[in-house]
Amino acid sequence: GRVREDLIKQFPFIKDVTISKNLLESSANVSYAPRQAHFLWCKNESCFLVDKEGIIFESSDIIQTNLLVSVNDIYFQDVLVGKKIPFLYVSGMLAIENFFTSRGLKLRVFLIKASFSLYAILEPGVEARFTMQKPIEEQLEKLGVFLSSHSPAYIHKLMYIDLRVQDRIYYK
């Protein structure tokens, strides 16, 4: 009920709360499940831990890690503990991450530079440019066709692959 909701709201690192009452002993037992960090979200000089639901639940002194997906954000204004990253971006990043992982490609970092722009930087530095104004799945499908028709050595020499224009792929 209300106590559960209040605890989750007051402590953003809590994902779920279970409260059990023992009326005979006039006691209650409260247990919680913590949020699991998936993204290290950095805005200016501040970094935060963010889960797969987009909840910003903790400040972080870490500025780089291989254990979490890094995001460098120069667009969103309201990046604070307790806030939520828009679902469109979180779901898009998860889909892109899964796409690259399933193909054995290493994702270095996501960049959010402007409204509706999402860049995925791969090792060794190839930039995949996406727009949030079109379904990510369609852009990933185009990218899949492109990747399957070029050798990994060729892909690694590219500077960028731009998927933001309808029915086109630009690359250099």
Side-chain angles (χ1 to χ4, degrees):
R2 184 162 183 245
V3 172
R4 181 184 171 281
E5 291 171 12
D6 288 347
L7 285 170
I8 291 172
K9 189 174 186 177
Q10 187 172 358
F11 301 102
F13 63 89
I14 295 176
K15 181 178 178 130
D16 195 21
V17 173
T18 304
I19 302 173
S20 56
K21 301 172 192 169
N22 185 332
L23 297 177
L24 293 175
E25 296 179 15
S26 298
S27 65
N29 183 30
V30 178
S31 59
Y32 71 92
R35 293 189 181 279
Q36 298 297 312
H38 189 77
F39 299 103
L40 178 66
W41 198 285
C42 296
K43 172 82 177 168
N44 301 324
E45 300 298 317
S46 302
C47 293
F48 304 91
L49 300 179
V50 178
D51 69 3
K52 286 184 175 184
E53 296 172 14
I55 304 295
I56 304 166
F57 65 92
E58 191 176 312
S59 294
S60 176
D61 293 334
I62 302 169
I63 55 170
Q64 187 176 14
T65 178
N66 290 329
L67 302 175
L68 303 173
V69 176
S70 295
V71 180
N72 288 337
D73 174 7
I74 50 180
Y75 173 68
F76 287 110
Q77 301 300 313
D78 207 15
V79 179
L80 300 167
V81 171
K83 298 289 185 176
K84 188 171 183 176
I85 303 299
F87 178 74
L88 181 67
Y89 284 85
V90 174
S91 64
M93 287 186 289
L94 291 171
I96 293 166
E97 176 191 10
N98 289 337
F99 175 88
F100 288 130
T101 301
S102 70
R103 286 162 176 76
L105 297 169
K106 173 82 171 118
L107 177 64
R108 185 188 297 170
V109 64
F110 282 108
L111 298 177
I112 301 175
K113 294 183 175 184
S115 178
F116 301 111
S117 288
L118 179 61
Y119 294 11
I121 312 300
L122 304 172
E123 294 292 344
V126 180
E127 197 175 88
R129 299 174 180 174
F130 298 89
T131 178
M132 303 312 289
Q133 292 177 305
K134 292 188 293 191
I136 287 294
E137 292 75 20
E138 290 176 13
Q139 296 170 76
L140 290 174
E141 190 176 317
K142 283 194 310 188
L143 182 57
V145 171
F146 180 81
L147 293 176
S148 65
S149 63
H150 294 85
S151 73
Y154 179 78
I155 299 297
H156 285 276
K157 291 179 184 176
L158 295 176
M159 290 174 56
Y160 65 84
I161 303 167
D162 196 332
L163 304 153
R164 297 175 295 176
V165 177
Q166 186 74 34
D167 300 324
R168 300 259 190 267
I169 296 178
Y170 294 101
Y171 59 95
K172 179 178 178 180

